[in-house]
Amino acid sequence: MEKMRLDKILSNSGLGSRKEVKQIIKSGEVYVSKKRITDPGYLVDPDKENILVNGEPLYYKKFYYLMMNKPAGVITATRDLNAQTVIDLLSHPYDKFNLFPVGRLDKDTEGLLILTNDGKLAHQLLSPKKHVSKTYYAEVTGKVGNNDIQAFKQGIQLDKDYITLPAELKILEAADISRVIITVYEGKFHQIKRMFNALSKKVIYLKRLSMSSLKLDESLKPGSYRELTPSELESIIISSKENC
Ligand code: URA
């Protein structure tokens, strides 16, 4: 990693605002490679040098990657004056890392949401050119059948001038309220709900199960989150570069 200012490393690590960490450094509580450093602008390579703050080692990470099981009732935004956002659900230290959601789930949609401060990865996963897959579980009013499977396969007219890319519909149960799995390769506004509306059906429950190679960890309760494992991260980075 490139050398960075010591105060930036500390504040990016959630130890306080830039002003607060400058105070911590000036008070002599910070050591870099066993040397007490009191200059907030001191340049450090966090990969090569040990940083101790109040005797505790600091493990610096440039980027964070979380998977959240988004609950219904919370909006996918970084801040909002009226509604609770997915960022409001983060507790210390993750609330300090300037994380943002990758893409958007509706307020009433649950399930997999990636949160990161890695703008490049977010951009790749969201790029329309990449056709990143997204798989959802849905409950819809009305009996779904083969004609619906065909319609998803062919693409569904959403607006006057937009037909969706071919998508996959798998029927788990066809009944008055049907249970289905859908995979789409784009991310239009209210896409799944509008696709079913066009087939005269209404989505009454929607949950995202996976995005690209990343599957929702079903042990995460709604509203909970965890960091991606190294192998989850590696596979999502690889697939975000591959899908073209
Ligand atoms: N499609 C929808 O209609 N809503 C979502 O939240 C995600 C996909």
Side-chain angles (χ1 to χ4, degrees):
M1 212 182 282
E2 273 176 27
K3 288 197 171 202
M4 291 172 66
R5 285 179 62 104
L6 187 55
D7 56 357
K8 185 156 193 238
I9 294 173
L10 264 56
S11 91
N12 285 359
S13 303
L15 293 180
S17 65
R18 209 59 177 260
K19 197 168 154 202
E20 286 163 346
V21 300
K22 273 186 179 142
Q23 257 336 98
I24 300 176
I25 297 167
K26 282 183 185 159
S27 68
E29 292 163 43
V30 181
Y31 285 75
V32 177
S33 299
K34 299 193 175 147
K35 230 171 72 188
R36 175 183 279 158
I37 303 295
T38 52
D39 171 11
Y42 185 79
L43 293 176
V44 185
D45 179 344
D47 278 345
K48 298 202 178 115
E49 293 166 277
N50 297 318
I51 304 172
L52 285 183
V53 181
N54 284 323
E56 297 284 331
L58 183 122
Y59 301 105
Y60 179 72
K61 276 203 244 178
K62 189 168 177 196
F63 295 128
Y64 285 84
Y65 305 89
L66 303 183
M67 83 155 69
M68 174 182 278
N69 184 358
K70 178 195 170 294
V74 171
I75 64 167
T76 311
T78 46
R79 66 178 72 147
D80 191 89
L81 287 179
N82 304 309
Q84 190 180 32
T85 73
V86 290
I87 299 300
D88 294 332
L89 298 175
L90 300 178
S91 49
H92 186 79
Y94 297 105
D95 57 343
K96 298 285 190 296
F97 298 146
N98 295 321
L99 302 180
F100 55 85
V102 178
R104 196 178 282 246
L105 292 177
D106 296 337
K107 188 172 180 185
D108 57 354
T109 303
E110 298 180 7
L112 177 66
L113 189 65
I114 301 171
L115 302 166
T116 186
N117 53 349
D118 180 349
K120 193 168 160 209
L121 181 75
H123 181 76
Q124 277 171 336
L125 289 172
L126 295 176
S127 163
K129 287 188 217 133
K130 299 274 180 182
H131 302 315
V132 167
S133 65
K134 292 160 204 102
T135 298
Y136 296 85
Y137 166 80
E139 293 174 6
V140 302
T141 57
K143 202 165 179 173
V144 288
N146 276 336
N147 44 343
D148 298 309
I149 295 178
Q150 286 310 318
F152 270 73
K153 211 185 250 177
Q154 276 163 17
I156 294 174
Q157 181 111 29
L158 288 188
D159 298 321
K160 265 202 287 342
D161 49 5
Y162 190 74
I163 299 178
T164 64
L165 291 177
E168 288 139 34
L169 175 67
K170 203 171 123 193
I171 300 175
L172 300 177
E173 188 187 1
D176 288 347
I177 291 180
S178 299
R179 299 188 308 112
V180 294
I181 302 281
I182 310 107
T183 301
V184 292
Y185 299 87
E186 59 195 330
K188 300 286 173 202
F189 185 62
H190 294 332
Q191 176 150 1
I192 306 291
K193 291 174 185 164
R194 286 161 70 210
M195 288 171 94
F196 278 106
N197 280 348
L199 303 173
S200 306
K201 294 182 174 66
K202 189 171 180 325
V203 173
I204 54 170
Y205 177 79
L206 189 60
K207 177 178 180 180
R208 182 152 67 195
L209 304 177
S210 65
M211 185 165 174
S212 187
S213 56
L214 187 66
K215 290 191 172 50
L216 176 68
D217 177 345
E218 291 287 350
S219 73
L220 286 175
K221 297 208 171 69
S224 309
Y225 55 89
R226 66 158 170 80
E227 286 192 43
L228 298 191
T229 64
S231 67
E232 284 171 338
L233 179 59
E234 191 182 350
S235 84
I236 199 159
I237 287 174
I238 291 170
S239 52
S240 76
K241 286 183 185 153
E242 271 172 0
N243 292 325
C244 281

